Amino acid sequence: NAGVMQNPRHLVRRRGQEARLRCSPMKGHSHVYWYRQLPEEGLKFMVYLQKENIIDESGMPKERFSAEFPKEGPSILRIQQVVRGDSAAYFCASSPISQGEQYFGPGTRLTVT
Amino acid sequence: GQQVMQIPQYQHVQEGEDFTTYCNSSTTLSNIQWYKQRPGGHPVFLIQLVKSGEVKKQKRLTFQFGEAKKNSSLHITATQTTDVGTYFCAGRNNQFYFGTGTSLTVIP
């Protein structure tokens, strides 16, 4: 059973471009979480999705950020018009149930130049 | 708003010494999870505690959930160099709130 997959592992974008981060949960997992981690800091919750539904997006900035988890395919975290402050590691985690243990992907390291 | 704080932020220990990190929430939690993140790696699930006053052990690691379900601790006995990493607690109250983490350095 493959673990949580994230791609790309590293992403470099210029200010103003769009960043698309993909997350494929573990097989059988329908709950997906996105977190942001700045260097030397903890994980900050961004959004919690179940198939085709956003359950909780209270941690996500109101502008420029969006997330989806379509019926088919990976979950996508989209950042429009990136700024330098968006540079961080973005981790996706999946879980088989809503309060279960979370399995993290390797993360996408976004650098905005 | 909801906050989960961990202390200490950093801890350096000699190999063989014990280590404890404490996790405190401003509100009651339905459960708490612990994760370990190695430098450059991703968080890996260690354990989940659900019941008030619950204590669980994994070899040299002992996890405790407070009676009021607002705090938790992780204790490592006789640390080894393989214990190096950052330990996060994650409290659940509608959503998961990750603690600030404790970075453990073990000096051989």
Side-chain angles (χ1 to χ4, degrees), chain B residues 48-60:
Chain B
Q48 175 168 286
L49 304 168
V50 178
K51 298 176 186 173
S52 168
E54 189 171 12
V55 177
K56 285 189 178 180
K57 293 193 176 190
Q58 285 180 353
K59 296 183 181 177
R60 294 179 295 104

Side-chain angles (χ1 to χ4, degrees), chain B residues 3-7 22-26 72 89 98-101:
Chain B
Q3 282 198 14
V4 177
M5 303 297 292
Q6 274 183 260
I7 54 170
Y22 300 91
C23 178
N24 297 291
S25 168
S26 55
S72 181
C89 63
F98 272 78
T100 44

Side-chain angles (χ1 to χ4, degrees), chain A:
Chain A
N1 190 3
V4 177
M5 313 276 283
Q6 284 188 253
N7 67 80
R9 296 289 303 276
H10 300 273
L11 181 62
V12 180
R13 284 285 178 269
R14 289 200 183 97
R15 277 181 298 170
Q17 290 185 320
E18 178 180 288
R20 277 183 171 247
L21 287 61
R22 294 175 187 76
C23 169
S24 295
M26 285 182 72
K27 190 176 179 182
H29 288 193
S30 59
H31 301 261
V32 166
Y33 306 81
W34 284 94
Y35 296 89
R36 179 161 75 175
Q37 186 175 41
L38 293 169
E40 306 296 320
E41 291 191 12
L43 292 152
K44 183 176 181 297
F45 168 81
M46 297 182 75
V47 62
Y48 163 36
L49 310 105
Q50 264 185 282
K51 277 290 186 182
E52 300 185 88
N53 292 307
I54 295 175
I55 306 301
D56 183 348
E57 57 181 349
S58 58
M60 204 143 74
K62 296 277 188 282
E63 297 177 355
R64 303 188 297 108
F65 285 74
S66 62
E68 62 177 13
F69 189 14
K71 189 176 179 181
E72 301 290 337
S75 174
I76 307 283
L77 178 67
R78 184 177 171 213
I79 311 173
Q80 293 178 291
Q81 299 173 341
V82 296
V83 300
R84 287 228 172 95
D86 296 333
S87 296
Y90 291 84
F91 288 98
C92 155
S94 75
S95 177
I97 56 175
S98 66
Q99 293 206 28
E101 62 190 81
Q102 297 177 53
Y103 295 82
F104 280 79
T108 294
R109 268 93 181 153
L110 172 66
T111 303
V112 179
T113 61

